[in-house]
């Protein structure tokens, strides 16, 4: 893998992460559960702790110096996210607790105010529950209908199928950028274009894409884009909803309370402008500061470089996983992201994960919050390994060795 080493050097990158440094009480781990959450570089941890130590104050209200500084840092993080996603302006960036809250915000604020009986929301069969349950619920409440866009046997979405589902009844197409099970990278720009041609809006769930490839919301042309800080080397408790101004401006709030109104009396409430209208209560301030540092970390490596590096590592993993007898890999090949859901013989995925843990390899097992996809695959539970920029070929080699060992433990030959 000489070329991979030339693009980025994972062993150098790991030096930026305290989690990967030797620790007397902790075993060093081959961490392959990055689709669940990523580790945090020193720069993120230090930015958060520096905030708590020196600038802690509530935002948007303090007349004193530290209060103004906290507001400046919080709004600075918003400007950084806007630049990172190439939003037209920072008012289009709303801070939430994560992807889940971002999508709930859209389902409640937009869905409840706009949907009526007979309207349709198109969802794909590969959606995470975060982009599924809020829509099922708002459909139940409003009388709208959820229309399912099926995947191919290979685990892809076909645009021809979407065309056959779109109609004047379609109001929203909500789709994941990258599947957290199949690793499929969806053609979101084309999907948004088709949605718009039909007069619908388009929401993209970017939880699994934003840390792994360049993302430009204007190039995608989406109306909404959601992601979580903790899957992008940032803190938990912070997420982003990008919304196009023309859409956001016409929406009522999701949650209400302090900081989101212009004026209120017993008879009348005037909502604040965007984005404040959607940020009721004290926001996650230190977490926003940490997210800012996480985006700086990503850009310090370069998003094209990260994409190229992870692509090569993915190709290597695809080749090596094929060597394991009885391993069934889900999702398309070879063109996919570094998320590998698989089964091994008839060994329960929890057993696979537990035995790998005994060899200091961390993967996930279960249904990955995508029950309808599990039904479609006929496989409720799978094991899943997922890559980040600090992984390298040695980690894949250790995984493959570990899987051979799992087979041996269960008495499979070879
Ligand atoms: N969407 C996708 C595709 C995901 O993989 C996840 C997390 N597994 C989410 C949404 C939800 O993210 P969070 O739990 O950070 O809100």
């Amino acid at each position: 893998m000489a070329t991979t080493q030339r693009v980025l050097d994972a062993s150098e990158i790991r030096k930026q992460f305290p989690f990967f440094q030797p620790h007397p009480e902790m075993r060093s781990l081959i961490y392959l559960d990055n689709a669940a959450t990523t580790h945090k570089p020193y720069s993120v941890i230090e930015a958060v702790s520096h905030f708590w130590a020196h600038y802690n104050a509530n935002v948007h209200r303090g007349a004193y110096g530290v209060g103004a500084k906290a507001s400046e840092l919080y709004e600075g993080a918003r400007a950084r996210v806007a630049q990172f996603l190439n939003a037209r302006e920072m008012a289009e960036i709303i801070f939430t607790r994560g992807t889940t809250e971002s999508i709930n915000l859209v389902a409640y604020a937009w869905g409840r105010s706009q949907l009526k009986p007979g309207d349709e929301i198109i969802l794909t069969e590969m959606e995470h529950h975060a982009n599924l349950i809020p829509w099922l619920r708002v459909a139940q409440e409003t009388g709208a209908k959820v229309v399912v866009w099926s995947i191919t046997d290979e685990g892809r979405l076909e645009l021809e199928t979407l065309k056959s589902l779109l109609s004047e009844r379609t109001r929203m197409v909500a789709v994941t950028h990258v599947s957290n099970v199949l690793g499929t990278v969806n053609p979101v720009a084309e999907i948004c274009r088709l949605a718009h041609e039909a007069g619908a809006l388009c929401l993209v769930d970017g939880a699994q894409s934003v840390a792994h490839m360049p993302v430009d919301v204007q190039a995608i042309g989406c109306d909404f884009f959601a992601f979580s800080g903790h899957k992008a080397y940032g803190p938990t408790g912070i997420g982003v909803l990008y919304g196009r101004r023309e859409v956001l401006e016409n929406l009522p709030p999701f949650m209400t309370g302090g900081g989101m109104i212009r004026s209120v009396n017993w008879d009348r409430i005037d909502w604040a402008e965007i984005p404040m209208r959607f940020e009721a209560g004290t926001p996650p301030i230190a977490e926003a500061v940490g997210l800012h540092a996480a985006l700086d970390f990503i850009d310090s490596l370069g998003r094209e470089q990260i994409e190229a590096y992870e692509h090569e590592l993915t190709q290597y993993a695809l080749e090596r996983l094929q060597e394991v007898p009885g391993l069934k890999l889900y999702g398309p090949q070879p063109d996919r992201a570094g998320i590998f859901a698989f089964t091994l013989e008839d060994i329960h995925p929890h057993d696979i994960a537990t035995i790998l843990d005994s060899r200091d390899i961390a993967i996930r097992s279960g249904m990955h919050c995508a029950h309808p996809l599990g039904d479609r695959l006929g496989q409720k539970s799978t094991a899943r390994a997922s890559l980040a920029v600090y992984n390298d070929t040695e980690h894949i080699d250790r995984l493959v060795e570990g899987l051979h060992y799992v087979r041996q433990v269960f008495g499979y030959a070879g």
Side-chain angles (χ1 to χ4, degrees), residues 66-299:
V66 172
K69 181 72 183 171
S71 301
E72 188 188 309
L73 289 170
Y74 181 67
E75 291 306 321
R78 194 191 308 279
R80 181 71 177 92
V81 175
Q83 182 215 13
F84 190 83
L85 295 179
N86 195 28
R88 281 170 213 84
E89 46 172 323
M90 58 190 272
E92 295 182 318
I93 303 300
I94 299 161
F95 282 125
T96 63
R97 279 191 305 124
T99 310
T100 303
E101 186 177 304
S102 297
I103 299 173
N104 271 275
L105 191 161
V106 180
Y108 278 76
W110 176 83
R112 274 185 169 172
S113 66
Q114 304 287 317
L115 291 171
K116 41 183 201 325
D119 286 346
E120 293 182 353
I121 305 155
I122 297 181
L123 300 180
T124 86
E125 234 174 358
M126 66 170 83
E127 295 313 310
H128 184 280
H129 292 170
N131 196 26
L132 183 77
I133 298 174
W135 296 114
L136 288 175
R137 186 157 178 220
V138 81
Q140 280 167 1
E141 286 174 2
T142 58
K145 187 175 153 207
V146 167
V147 174
V148 182
W149 179 4
S150 307
I151 57 171
T152 64
D153 289 341
E154 204 203 0
R156 289 190 196 279
L157 292 171
E158 275 178 349
L159 295 174
E160 288 308 311
T161 313
L162 175 62
K163 285 182 197 163
S164 71
L165 298 174
L166 285 163
S167 74
E168 71 286 351
R169 292 183 300 280
T170 314
R171 302 291 312 284
M172 172 67 78
V173 179
V175 60
T176 194
H177 198 171
V178 173
S179 162
N180 68 313
V181 178
L182 303 168
T184 318
V185 183
N186 290 318
V188 285
E190 285 90 330
I191 293 170
C192 290
R193 190 178 54 75
L194 291 172
H196 288 159
E197 274 174 22
L201 298 182
C202 187
L203 175 144
V204 176
D205 173 351
Q208 297 296 349
S209 65
V210 83
H212 305 278
M213 59 188 66
V215 168
D216 177 333
V217 289
Q218 293 191 60
I220 294 172
C222 51
D223 301 286
F224 297 105
F225 186 93
F227 78 93
S228 301
H230 72 98
K231 292 181 199 281
Y233 309 103
T236 52
I238 181 87
V240 167
L241 176 67
Y242 155 81
R244 216 155 45 75
R245 173 181 274 281
E246 299 72 39
V247 183
L248 286 181
E249 262 180 353
N250 294 314
L251 295 189
F254 169 38
M255 291 194 282
T256 55
M260 49 72 67
I261 50 118
R262 191 176 319 172
S263 66
V264 63
N265 60 37
W266 296 116
D267 308 313
R268 186 189 159 93
I269 320 171
D270 283 328
W271 308 128
E273 292 300 322
I274 65 166
M276 290 308 151
R277 188 187 308 168
F278 300 103
E279 293 186 3
T282 299
I285 309 162
E287 291 80 359
V289 171
L291 178 62
H292 188 158
L295 302 184
D296 287 349
F297 165 76
I298 291 174
D299 278 343

